[in-house]
Amino acid sequence: MADRVVVTGASGFVGSAVARALVARGFDVRAVVRATSPRANLADTGCEISEGDMRDKAAMLRAMEGARYLFHVAADYRLWARDPNEIVRNNLEGTRATMQAALEAAVEKIVYTSSVATLKPIEGQSAGESSRHDEHTVIGAYKLSKVVAERLVEKMVAEQNLPATIVSPSTPIGPRDIRPTPTGRIIVEAATGKIPAFVDTGLNLVHVDDVAEGHLLALDKGRIGERYILGGEDVTLQQMLAVIAGLANRRAPKIKLPRGPLYPLAYAAEAVARFTNKEPFITADALNMSKYRMFFSSAKAARDLGYKARPYGEGLADAMQWFGTQGYLR
């Protein structure tokens, strides 16, 4: 009989990629999804569905019954909320409840999905796992939420023998970005000609299916308590937009904007968002983050896990194709 694996956040972008990779490997996958989550990403996977919220320890215990492994991928991934503390609470308390349930269920190994959001960019080079943010250096509620949740996991590994390996994806792109994520929104907006200019910033882009494969490698070879960056290639925003423009048969934006004049626009967008409750396209936190090129190195994962990532252009092409077939690019 196949080993049972639980995946939280399994209906989401990264979670569904992890669930699919596990099904392909022959695991018996139990997908934990909230009652309100869309199920389209799991429609053809054959995963068993278990309804539950990561903050509900009783629901997590039910989901982990008979499970050998846990992938905790679920997260509140928003760069803006009317109450920013809600993002911090959700990710911290969701991680706490899920990890406590895993200990009680005697799960053999956990792969915990953190983020490069917990790592501090280094000027002029790609940061590694040792360049850590703390609660005072991090920008924005989402990044703070990932820092405090990751520290909790590390503490539980040290004090309660939590059998967790931590993976830190960079910026995933590719198919099934159903919400879409903040990066997916950039791809959609750029492909439909709504981003005529750019600021000088950079990020590390990785195909979501390579991130999923990295999760499985962490299960196989990752050491308990260790962290591994699952990234791809360092790319400037200008380069990313140029590739998207080429795929969309549009002109690449050539105008580089200074950040300063964009802040009033961001504050206005956030004020509107408080009434509409829709995430604004530009926020003050995002502008503050964009001062840094968020470049990261996956050398440790490559060396210790055998991790590999395809060229970022393939991820953008797969994302564009999926967004196109799903009607996002009309």
Side-chain angles (χ1 to χ4, degrees), residues 77-81 87 140-143 179 182 279 283 285-286 289:
Y77 182 23
R78 292 178 291 166
L79 298 185
W80 179 89
I87 299 172
Y142 173 71
K143 288 193 174 192
R179 249 183 73 203
E279 200 168 325
T283 67
D285 279 345
M289 285 179 216

Side-chain angles (χ1 to χ4, degrees), residues 175-189:
R176 302 179 301 277
D177 189 356
I178 201 160
R179 249 183 73 203
T181 59
T183 317
R185 288 172 69 195
I186 291 173
I187 296 170
V188 170
E189 298 280 320

Side-chain angles (χ1 to χ4, degrees), residues 6 31 35 39 44 60 62 105 126 128 136 215-216 232 249 257 279 315:
V6 171
R39 312 285 165 89
D44 54 351
M60 293 297 102
R62 282 195 301 275
S126 302
H136 308 292
H215 278 68
L216 270 65
N249 294 317
L257 295 174
E279 200 168 325

Side-chain angles (χ1 to χ4, degrees), residues 2 5-6 33 41 43 47 56 59 136 155 159 163 259 265 278 297 312 316 323:
V5 185
V6 171
V33 298
N41 279 347
C47 294
D56 180 352
H136 308 292
K155 189 166 185 276
E159 295 178 4
R259 268 177 210 85
L265 189 64
K278 285 188 180 160
S297 167
Y312 79 93
L316 286 174
F323 283 132

Side-chain angles (χ1 to χ4, degrees), residues 64-142:
M64 287 179 224
E65 197 175 314
R68 186 173 179 190
Y69 305 122
L70 166 67
F71 287 79
H72 181 42
V73 190
D76 184 345
Y77 182 23
R78 292 178 291 166
L79 298 185
W80 179 89
R82 188 182 277 161
D83 173 13
N85 289 325
E86 184 183 36
I87 299 172
V88 180
R89 280 196 306 272
N90 286 347
N91 285 332
L92 178 60
E93 297 313 319
T95 299
R96 190 191 313 278
T98 304
M99 294 300 129
Q100 286 175 340
L103 280 173
E104 288 183 29
V107 168
E108 189 177 312
K109 188 168 183 183
I110 300 160
V111 177
Y112 168 69
T113 309
S114 185
S115 167
V116 294
T118 69
L119 300 173
K120 200 185 286 187
I122 302 171
E123 189 65 42
Q125 66 185 85
S126 302
E129 287 81 356
S130 61
S131 181
R132 292 157 68 96
H133 268 303
D134 61 37
E135 293 177 39
H136 308 292
T137 61
V138 80
I139 296 168
Y142 173 71

